[in-house]
Coordinates of all heavy atoms in Angstrom, one line a residue:
Chain A
L321 N -56.1 234.1 -1.8 CA -55.1 235.2 -1.7 C -55.7 236.6 -1.4 O -55.2 237.4 -0.7 CB -54.4 235.3 -3.1 CG -52.9 235.7 -3.1 CD1 -52.1 234.7 -2.4 CD2 -52.5 235.8 -4.6
H322 N -56.9 236.9 -2.0 CA -57.4 238.2 -1.9 C -58.9 238.2 -1.4 O -59.6 239.1 -1.6 CB -57.3 239.0 -3.2 CG -58.0 238.4 -4.4 ND1 -58.6 239.1 -5.4 CD2 -58.3 237.1 -4.7 CE1 -59.1 238.3 -6.2 NE2 -59.0 237.1 -5.8
T323 N -59.3 237.1 -0.8 CA -60.7 237.0 -0.4 C -61.0 237.5 1.0 O -62.2 237.8 1.3 CB -61.2 235.5 -0.6 OG1 -62.6 235.5 -0.7 CG2 -60.8 234.7 0.6
L324 N -60.0 237.6 1.9 CA -60.3 238.0 3.2 C -60.5 239.5 3.2 O -59.7 240.3 2.5 CB -59.2 237.7 4.2 CG -58.9 236.2 4.3 CD1 -57.7 235.9 5.2 CD2 -60.1 235.5 4.9
S325 N -61.6 240.0 3.8 CA -61.9 241.4 3.6 C -60.8 242.4 3.9 O -60.7 243.4 3.2 CB -63.2 241.8 4.3 OG -63.0 241.8 5.7
P326 N -60.0 242.2 5.0 CA -58.9 243.2 5.2 C -57.9 243.3 4.1 O -57.3 244.3 3.8 CB -58.3 242.7 6.5 CG -59.2 241.8 7.1 CD -60.0 241.2 6.0
V327 N -57.7 242.1 3.4 CA -56.8 242.1 2.2 C -57.5 242.7 1.0 O -57.0 243.6 0.3 CB -56.4 240.7 1.9 CG1 -55.5 240.6 0.7 CG2 -55.6 240.1 3.1
N328 N -58.8 242.3 0.9 CA -59.5 242.7 -0.3 C -59.8 244.2 -0.3 O -59.9 244.8 -1.4 CB -60.9 241.9 -0.3 CG -61.6 242.1 -1.6 OD1 -62.5 242.9 -1.7 ND2 -61.2 241.4 -2.6
Y329 N -59.8 244.8 0.9 CA -59.9 246.3 0.9 C -58.9 246.9 0.0 O -59.1 247.9 -0.6 CB -59.7 246.7 2.4 CG -59.9 248.2 2.6 CD1 -61.2 248.8 2.5 CD2 -58.9 249.0 3.0 CE1 -61.4 250.1 2.7 CE2 -59.1 250.3 3.3 CZ -60.3 250.9 3.1 OH -60.5 252.2 3.3
Y330 N -57.7 246.4 0.0 CA -56.6 247.0 -0.8 C -56.6 246.4 -2.2 O -56.2 247.0 -3.2 CB -55.2 246.8 -0.1 CG -55.1 247.6 1.1 CD1 -55.3 247.1 2.4 CD2 -54.9 249.0 1.0 CE1 -55.3 247.8 3.5 CE2 -54.9 249.8 2.1 CZ -55.0 249.2 3.4 OH -55.0 250.0 4.5
T331 N -56.9 245.1 -2.4 CA -56.7 244.5 -3.7 C -58.0 244.5 -4.6 O -57.9 244.2 -5.8 CB -56.4 243.0 -3.5 OG1 -57.5 242.3 -2.8 CG2 -55.1 242.8 -2.7
H332 N -59.1 244.9 -4.1 CA -60.4 244.8 -4.8 C -60.3 245.6 -6.1 O -59.9 246.8 -6.1 CB -61.4 245.5 -3.9 CG -62.8 245.6 -4.5 ND1 -63.4 244.5 -5.1 CD2 -63.7 246.6 -4.7 CE1 -64.6 244.8 -5.5 NE2 -64.8 246.1 -5.3
G333 N -60.6 245.0 -7.2 CA -60.6 245.6 -8.5 C -59.2 246.0 -9.0 O -59.0 247.1 -9.7
S334 N -58.2 245.2 -8.7 CA -56.8 245.5 -9.1 C -56.4 244.4 -10.0 O -57.1 243.5 -10.3 CB -55.9 245.6 -7.9 OG -55.7 244.4 -7.4
Q335 N -55.1 244.5 -10.5 CA -54.6 243.4 -11.3 C -54.5 242.0 -10.6 O -54.4 241.0 -11.2 CB -53.2 243.8 -11.8 CG -53.2 245.0 -12.8 CD -54.0 244.7 -14.0 OE1 -54.0 243.6 -14.6 NE2 -54.7 245.7 -14.5
I336 N -54.6 242.1 -9.2 CA -54.7 240.8 -8.5 C -56.0 240.1 -8.9 O -56.0 238.9 -9.1 CB -54.8 241.1 -7.0 CG1 -53.6 241.9 -6.5 CG2 -55.0 239.8 -6.2 CD1 -52.3 241.1 -6.3
T337 N -57.1 240.8 -9.1 CA -58.3 240.2 -9.5 C -58.2 239.6 -10.9 O -58.6 238.5 -11.2 CB -59.4 241.3 -9.5 OG1 -59.3 242.2 -8.4 CG2 -60.8 240.7 -9.6
A338 N -57.5 240.4 -11.8 CA -57.3 239.9 -13.1 C -56.4 238.6 -13.1 O -56.7 237.6 -13.8 CB -56.6 240.9 -14.0
A339 N -55.4 238.6 -12.2 CA -54.5 237.4 -12.2 C -55.4 236.2 -11.8 O -55.3 235.1 -12.4 CB -53.4 237.6 -11.1
H340 N -56.2 236.3 -10.7 CA -57.0 235.2 -10.2 C -58.0 234.8 -11.3 O -58.2 233.6 -11.6 CB -57.8 235.7 -9.0 CG -59.0 234.9 -8.6 ND1 -59.0 233.6 -8.4 CD2 -60.3 235.3 -8.6 CE1 -60.2 233.2 -8.1 NE2 -61.0 234.2 -8.2
G341 N -58.6 235.8 -12.0 CA -59.6 235.5 -13.0 C -59.0 234.6 -14.1 O -59.7 233.6 -14.6
H342 N -57.8 235.0 -14.5 CA -57.2 234.2 -15.6 C -56.9 232.8 -15.2 O -57.3 231.8 -15.9 CB -55.9 234.9 -16.1 CG -56.2 236.1 -17.0 ND1 -56.6 237.3 -16.6 CD2 -56.2 236.1 -18.4 CE1 -56.8 238.1 -17.6 NE2 -56.6 237.4 -18.8
M343 N -56.3 232.6 -14.1 CA -55.9 231.2 -13.8 C -57.1 230.4 -13.4 O -57.2 229.2 -13.7 CB -54.8 231.1 -12.7 CG -54.0 229.8 -12.9 SD -53.1 229.2 -11.6 CE -51.8 230.2 -11.3
A344 N -58.1 231.0 -12.7 CA -59.2 230.2 -12.3 C -60.0 229.8 -13.5 O -60.4 228.6 -13.6 CB -60.1 231.1 -11.3
F345 N -60.3 230.7 -14.4 CA -61.1 230.3 -15.6 C -60.3 229.2 -16.4 O -60.9 228.2 -16.9 CB -61.4 231.5 -16.5 CG -62.8 231.9 -16.3 CD1 -63.1 233.0 -15.5 CD2 -63.9 231.3 -16.9 CE1 -64.4 233.4 -15.3 CE2 -65.2 231.7 -16.7 CZ -65.5 232.7 -15.9
Y346 N -59.0 229.4 -16.6 CA -58.3 228.4 -17.3 C -58.3 227.1 -16.6 O -58.6 226.0 -17.2 CB -56.8 228.9 -17.6 CG -56.0 227.8 -18.2 CD1 -56.2 227.5 -19.6 CD2 -55.0 227.1 -17.5 CE1 -55.5 226.5 -20.2 CE2 -54.3 226.1 -18.1 CZ -54.5 225.8 -19.4 OH -53.8 224.8 -20.0
G347 N -57.9 227.1 -15.4 CA -57.7 225.9 -14.6 C -59.0 225.1 -14.4 O -59.0 223.9 -14.6
A348 N -60.1 225.8 -14.1 CA -61.3 225.0 -13.9 C -62.0 224.7 -15.2 O -62.3 223.6 -15.5 CB -62.2 225.8 -12.9
Y349 N -62.4 225.8 -15.9 CA -63.4 225.6 -16.9 C -62.8 225.3 -18.3 O -63.2 224.4 -19.1 CB -64.4 226.7 -16.9 CG -65.0 226.7 -15.6 CD1 -64.9 227.8 -14.7 CD2 -65.7 225.6 -15.1 CE1 -65.5 227.8 -13.5 CE2 -66.3 225.6 -13.9 CZ -66.2 226.7 -13.1 OH -66.8 226.7 -11.8
V350 N -61.8 226.1 -18.7 CA -61.1 225.8 -20.0 C -60.6 224.4 -20.0 O -60.8 223.6 -20.9 CB -60.0 226.8 -20.3 CG1 -59.2 226.4 -21.5 CG2 -60.6 228.2 -20.4
M351 N -59.8 224.0 -18.9 CA -59.2 222.7 -18.9 C -60.2 221.6 -18.9 O -59.9 220.5 -19.5 CB -58.2 222.6 -17.8 CG -56.9 223.5 -18.1 SD -55.7 223.3 -16.8 CE -54.7 222.0 -17.4
V352 N -61.3 221.7 -18.2 CA -62.2 220.6 -18.2 C -62.9 220.4 -19.5 O -63.1 219.3 -20.0 CB -63.3 220.7 -17.1 CG1 -64.4 221.6 -17.4 CG2 -63.8 219.3 -16.7
V353 N -63.1 221.5 -20.3 CA -63.7 221.3 -21.6 C -62.6 220.7 -22.5 O -63.0 219.8 -23.3 CB -64.2 222.7 -22.1 CG1 -64.6 222.6 -23.6 CG2 -65.4 223.2 -21.3
L354 N -61.4 221.1 -22.4 CA -60.3 220.5 -23.2 C -60.2 219.0 -22.9 O -59.9 218.2 -23.7 CB -59.0 221.3 -23.1 CG -59.0 222.8 -23.5 CD1 -57.6 223.4 -23.5 CD2 -59.7 223.0 -24.9
T355 N -60.4 218.7 -21.6 CA -60.3 217.3 -21.2 C -61.3 216.5 -21.9 O -61.0 215.4 -22.5 CB -60.5 217.2 -19.6 OG1 -59.6 218.0 -18.9 CG2 -60.4 215.7 -19.2
I356 N -62.6 216.9 -21.9 CA -63.6 216.1 -22.5 C -63.5 216.0 -24.0 O -63.7 215.0 -24.7 CB -65.0 216.5 -22.0 CG1 -66.1 215.6 -22.6 CG2 -65.3 218.0 -22.4 CD1 -66.3 214.3 -21.9
M357 N -63.0 217.2 -24.6 CA -62.7 217.2 -26.0 C -61.6 216.1 -26.4 O -61.8 215.4 -27.3 CB -62.2 218.5 -26.5 CG -63.3 219.6 -26.7 SD -62.3 221.0 -27.3 CE -63.6 222.2 -27.2
S358 N -60.6 216.2 -25.6 CA -59.4 215.3 -25.8 C -59.9 213.9 -25.7 O -59.4 213.0 -26.5 CB -58.4 215.6 -24.8 OG -57.3 214.7 -24.8
Y359 N -60.8 213.6 -24.7 CA -61.2 212.2 -24.5 C -62.2 211.8 -25.6 O -62.1 210.7 -26.2 CB -61.9 212.1 -23.2 CG -62.6 210.8 -23.0 CD1 -61.9 209.6 -22.8 CD2 -64.0 210.7 -23.0 CE1 -62.5 208.4 -22.7 CE2 -64.6 209.5 -22.9 CZ -63.9 208.3 -22.8 OH -64.6 207.1 -22.6
A360 N -63.2 212.7 -25.9 CA -64.3 212.2 -26.7 C -64.1 212.3 -28.2 O -64.6 211.5 -29.0 CB -65.5 213.1 -26.3
I361 N -63.3 213.3 -28.7 CA -63.3 213.5 -30.2 C -62.7 212.3 -30.9 O -63.3 211.8 -31.8 CB -62.5 214.8 -30.5 CG1 -63.3 216.0 -30.1 CG2 -62.2 214.9 -32.0 CD1 -62.7 217.4 -30.3
P362 N -61.6 211.7 -30.4 CA -61.1 210.5 -31.0 C -62.1 209.4 -31.1 O -62.3 208.7 -32.1 CB -59.9 210.1 -30.2 CG -59.4 211.3 -29.5 CD -60.7 212.1 -29.3
L363 N -62.9 209.2 -30.0 CA -63.9 208.2 -29.9 C -65.0 208.4 -30.9 O -65.5 207.5 -31.5 CB -64.5 208.1 -28.5 CG -63.5 207.6 -27.4 CD1 -64.1 207.9 -26.0 CD2 -63.3 206.1 -27.6
M364 N -65.3 209.7 -31.1 CA -66.4 210.0 -32.1 C -65.9 209.7 -33.5 O -66.6 209.6 -34.5 CB -66.8 211.4 -32.0 CG -67.7 211.6 -30.7 SD -68.5 213.3 -30.7 CE -67.1 214.3 -30.2
R365 N -64.5 209.6 -33.7 CA -64.0 209.3 -35.0 C -63.6 207.8 -35.1 O -62.9 207.4 -36.0 CB -62.7 210.1 -35.2 CG -62.9 211.6 -35.4 CD -61.5 212.2 -35.4 NE -61.6 213.6 -35.8 CZ -60.5 214.4 -35.7 NH1 -59.4 214.0 -35.3 NH2 -60.7 215.7 -36.2
G366 N -64.1 207.0 -34.1 CA -63.9 205.6 -34.2 C -62.5 205.1 -33.7 O -62.1 204.1 -34.0
Q367 N -61.8 206.0 -33.0 CA -60.5 205.6 -32.4 C -60.6 205.6 -30.9 O -61.4 206.4 -30.4 CB -59.4 206.6 -32.8 CG -59.2 206.8 -34.3 CD -58.4 208.1 -34.5 OE1 -58.9 209.2 -34.9 NE2 -57.1 208.0 -34.2
Q368 N -59.8 204.8 -30.2 CA -59.7 205.0 -28.8 C -59.0 206.2 -28.4 O -59.3 206.9 -27.4 CB -58.9 203.8 -28.2 CG -59.7 202.5 -28.1 CD -60.7 202.6 -26.9 OE1 -60.5 203.4 -26.0 NE2 -61.7 201.7 -26.9
A369 N -57.9 206.5 -29.2 CA -57.1 207.7 -28.9 C -56.4 208.1 -30.2 O -56.4 207.3 -31.2 CB -56.0 207.3 -27.9
K370 N -55.8 209.3 -30.2 CA -55.1 209.7 -31.4 C -53.8 209.0 -31.5 O -53.4 208.3 -30.6 CB -54.8 211.2 -31.3 CG -56.1 212.0 -31.3 CD -55.8 213.5 -31.4 CE -55.2 214.1 -30.2 NZ -55.3 215.6 -30.1
S371 N -53.1 209.1 -32.7 CA -51.8 208.5 -32.8 C -50.9 209.0 -31.8 O -51.1 210.1 -31.3 CB -51.3 208.8 -34.2 OG -51.0 210.2 -34.3
N372 N -49.8 208.3 -31.5 CA -48.9 208.8 -30.5 C -48.3 210.1 -30.8 O -48.1 211.0 -30.0 CB -47.7 207.8 -30.4 CG -48.1 206.6 -29.4 OD1 -49.0 206.8 -28.6 ND2 -47.6 205.4 -29.7

Side-chain angles (χ1 to χ4, degrees):
Chain A
L321 213 65
H322 61 148
T323 202
L324 300 174
S325 71
V327 176
N328 191 260
Y329 183 66
Y330 291 101
T331 60
H332 179 52
S334 69
Q335 294 298 323
I336 302 279
T337 320
H340 161 61
H342 279 81
M343 207 199 295
F345 258 98
Y346 174 72
Y349 301 118
V350 170
M351 287 184 91
V352 79
V353 171
L354 301 187
T355 302
I356 183 80
M357 281 183 186
S358 171
Y359 169 74
I361 292 176
L363 290 166
M364 287 190 282
R365 291 172 167 172
Q367 304 164 254
Q368 280 283 343
K370 295 189 291 198
S371 68
N372 277 332

